[in-house]
Amino acid sequence: MGVLCDYFHAVDRATAVELAIGPGGDWLSGTSLEDAGADWIDAKGIDPDVVLAQLVAFVEGAASGASVNGGPADGPELVWPDVPYPRGGFEEPGSPWNSGLILQQLPDCWRDLLAALPEEAVPGVAARWSGIEELRFADPRDAEDAVVTFVRLADRARAAGAHLYCRCCV
């Protein structure tokens, strides 16, 4: 079983929920980001909490010239389903917590770091990122393409005054 992650930008949380989950958070509506007209990328198993966080850490290290071993201090924040996560026992049928979907907002500092990555720094960042345990690219150029894809999405989000979000589906 894998985790599918779609990244997109939206001006606010309500709009992000509408785009990624469905009107009013109706996850049964089967909304797709493409049908909703979102500017999005399909990042398959690149989860925001571990894999993307490491990319951001490498970008931050490239920007500062420092060696960064961990991820950025701020991390993604759960937007949907509503917290708190229900504890104990089985969920009631129809609970959004049983949907396999979550929506997270990425920190704006991540968006800004990614958007500001100079083109000449991409190969070095991609080489470091492609070496992490949680990620496998078939070719070094695939890693560079993935970095550029995230950089471009972040740049479009920043230009639009929007935030980055990730919809994950298990």
Side-chain angles (χ1 to χ4, degrees):
M1 180 185 305
V3 177
L4 303 176
C5 297
D6 299 324
Y7 291 84
F8 65 100
H9 64 82
V11 295
D12 56 35
R13 288 176 172 221
T15 303
V17 170
E18 294 280 324
L19 291 170
I21 307 301
D26 178 13
W27 58 277
L28 296 172
S29 69
T31 301
S32 78
L33 288 168
E34 188 169 340
D35 290 344
D39 180 2
W40 69 286
I41 60 172
D42 175 359
K44 305 236 185 289
I46 300 175
D47 78 280
D49 296 295
V50 176
V51 180
L52 187 65
Q54 290 183 67
L55 171 60
V56 173
F58 295 141
V59 169
E60 186 176 40
S64 68
S67 175
V68 178
N69 293 320
D74 292 332
E77 184 179 341
L78 184 66
V79 173
W80 188 94
D82 293 330
V83 292
Y85 178 80
R87 303 254 184 238
F90 290 96
E91 291 304 305
E92 292 182 29
S95 168
W97 284 101
N98 288 333
S99 69
L101 287 172
I102 64 166
L103 177 63
Q104 294 175 287
Q105 181 176 347
L106 307 182
D108 286 342
C109 64
W110 288 20
R111 175 202 61 202
D112 297 343
L113 278 166
L114 289 167
L117 183 67
E119 187 176 330
E120 63 273 8
V122 168
V125 167
R128 290 189 71 197
W129 190 44
S130 66
I132 68 172
E133 183 177 330
E134 299 84 1
L135 198 55
R136 295 289 174 257
F137 287 105
D139 179 287
R141 284 185 293 202
D142 291 339
E144 288 182 26
D145 289 345
V147 171
V148 168
T149 299
F150 276 105
V151 166
R152 288 181 179 159
L153 179 67
D155 187 50
R156 292 190 304 270
R158 186 175 64 174
H163 309 284
L164 286 175
Y165 295 88
C166 179
R167 176 181 65 182
C168 293
C169 181
V170 178

